[in-house]
Amino acid sequence: MPLDDVILSILALGTNEVETMVKNTSHQTRSPFNSPLSSAQWLDVYGSMSSVPAHVIAMRSLVGRRGGLESIKLHGLAEVLSLSDILGSTQHMCKPYWPLLRRAIANDAPHSVLPRNLGQAFQTLVSFGININAANVLQSMVDLTFIIDSHCRGINPISDLQVFIEKRNAIQHSLMSLPTGDELECGEISSVCLHESIRHAAIIYSVAVTFPLPPVSGIFRKLAGRLKDILEKSKLDPCWQLYPKTLLWMLILGGIAALETTDRAWYVRNLAALSSALNLAEWKDVAEDAENYLWLESACDAGGSSLWDEVTNERLLDGVDITELPGF
């Protein structure tokens, strides 16, 4: 049997086992975001599946013997394996195993006009919290957000869904390939905790908007918990006094993602303290600040508004303690 057929057989065997697991899932988890285009490339289905480690190891070994993804000739197999790799890296919060498939790199021109101030605040963070590589990845996510928003509004519908999917996958591969703060060269950035917080917040945004995954995978709960841990460990870092609006954006995304988890109260409490310190009372003003980073109103506003209702109640009923905030 040709090696490509063996690889396909192992892939199909793993998929069949996981499909049985998914069908046996008795509860449905409510998504904290209104994720757009989640059914494109069946992300809503494939994103519900968790890989079988033994099959992953076997496939990687066989693909290596084949000479890598680029050497696979069976039509569509390399693309499916590449998507599986990107999905797995996102679900397990690790780097992709394989380089991005070159035949899947989209070369469409970027949009020159972006709505309002979307993503512009990231430029002020270069060298302090992010490097040029991270800034480029975040800008790609901003560009993709604009494409999605224009499509959802009916202003500029996506004409070639395949090109869009390839672009979406390439950006997610780049995001998950970013080095952790500890992996950066000494002096490349000033604040490792700010870098890690931004990276995790961007991943939350990706699985909500640009590479939407279903909540049944538990990805939102996992990411919200990780972001909380990073922020808790960086309480004494002065970066939060320098960039309080960046912290606001992170707490909003983390708080939305923490829907129906025990971490939700932590986000509400810290948002209440930060919004009081920044003299922010209305959700529309908070949403405007979030748009300076990564934000899509149609996907994030409902969850954000619900979160803000809880923040408002926290401020009214219990008062706030600014000393709980990171850096304050």
Side-chain angles (χ1 to χ4, degrees), residues 60 96 120 208 280 288:
R60 287 175 176 176
Q120 290 185 9
L280 290 169
E288 284 182 8

Side-chain angles (χ1 to χ4, degrees), residues 168 241 326:
R168 178 171 77 174
Q241 289 186 331

Side-chain angles (χ1 to χ4, degrees), residues 106-118:
N107 294 313
D108 54 325
H111 290 265
S112 57
V113 180
L114 295 174
R116 294 183 293 276
N117 299 319
L118 187 64

Side-chain angles (χ1 to χ4, degrees), residues 184-196:
L184 293 172
E185 295 291 333
C186 181
E188 196 169 352
I189 57 171
S190 299
S191 175
V192 170
C193 72
L194 182 56
H195 175 277
E196 282 301 276

Side-chain angles (χ1 to χ4, degrees), residues 46-291:
Y46 294 136
S48 300
M49 301 177 180
S50 57
S51 57
V52 179
H55 295 150
V56 172
I57 293 171
M59 281 192 296
R60 287 175 176 176
S61 175
L62 290 173
V63 171
R65 287 172 53 190
R66 189 71 172 84
L69 290 182
E70 300 290 346
S71 300
I72 292 177
K73 302 302 180 184
L74 187 62
H75 180 71
L77 179 57
E79 287 77 8
V80 172
L81 289 172
S82 180
L83 172 62
S84 175
D85 186 36
I86 297 169
L87 268 171
S89 70
T90 304
Q91 291 170 333
H92 297 290
M93 293 297 299
C94 61
K95 292 180 175 59
Y97 183 79
W98 290 302
L100 182 65
L101 193 64
R102 288 195 300 272
R103 67 183 88 164
I105 297 176
N107 294 313
D108 54 325
H111 290 265
S112 57
V113 180
L114 295 174
R116 294 183 293 276
N117 299 319
L118 187 64
Q120 290 185 9
F122 289 124
Q123 293 304 314
T124 66
L125 296 166
V126 175
S127 296
F128 192 90
I130 57 176
N131 59 10
I132 295 298
N133 184 29
N136 289 337
V137 172
L138 293 169
Q139 183 58 50
S140 295
M141 295 178 70
V142 169
D143 294 340
L144 189 59
T145 297
F146 181 59
I147 293 173
I148 295 170
D149 188 43
S150 298
H151 173 80
C152 293
R153 291 177 184 269
I155 298 172
N156 186 19
I158 295 171
S159 58
D160 190 329
L161 190 60
Q162 183 59 38
V163 171
F164 168 79
I165 288 172
E166 290 171 356
K167 182 180 182 70
R168 178 171 77 174
N169 292 352
I171 291 173
Q172 189 66 15
H173 188 283
S174 297
L175 174 63
M176 298 311 301
S177 298
L178 287 176
T180 65
D182 293 336
E183 294 171 339
L184 293 172
E185 295 291 333
C186 181
E188 196 169 352
I189 57 171
S190 299
S191 175
V192 170
C193 72
L194 182 56
H195 175 277
E196 282 301 276
S197 301
I198 293 172
R199 190 172 69 87
H200 278 78
I203 296 174
I204 291 176
Y205 182 81
S206 75
V207 297
V209 177
T210 57
F211 193 78
L213 296 185
V216 69
S217 64
I219 188 67
F220 295 109
R221 171 188 52 78
K222 182 189 301 183
L223 284 167
R226 288 205 180 189
L227 179 58
K228 173 196 167 187
D229 290 343
I230 293 169
L231 294 175
E232 279 279 6
K233 292 175 183 177
S234 64
K235 275 188 173 183
L236 301 179
D237 196 295
C239 68
W240 305 122
Q241 289 186 331
L242 295 172
Y243 299 101
K245 293 294 182 71
T246 306
L247 176 60
L248 178 70
W249 166 68
M250 295 171 184
L251 289 172
I252 293 168
L253 283 182
I256 298 173
L259 179 68
E260 297 178 351
T261 72
T262 55
D263 290 330
R264 177 82 160 196
W266 182 90
Y267 281 101
V268 168
R269 188 168 62 252
N270 280 276
L271 275 169
L274 181 58
S275 60
S276 179
L278 295 174
N279 197 27
L280 290 169
E282 300 295 329
W283 168 244
K284 63 179 181 62
D285 297 325
V286 176
E288 284 182 8
D289 284 328
E291 287 177 355

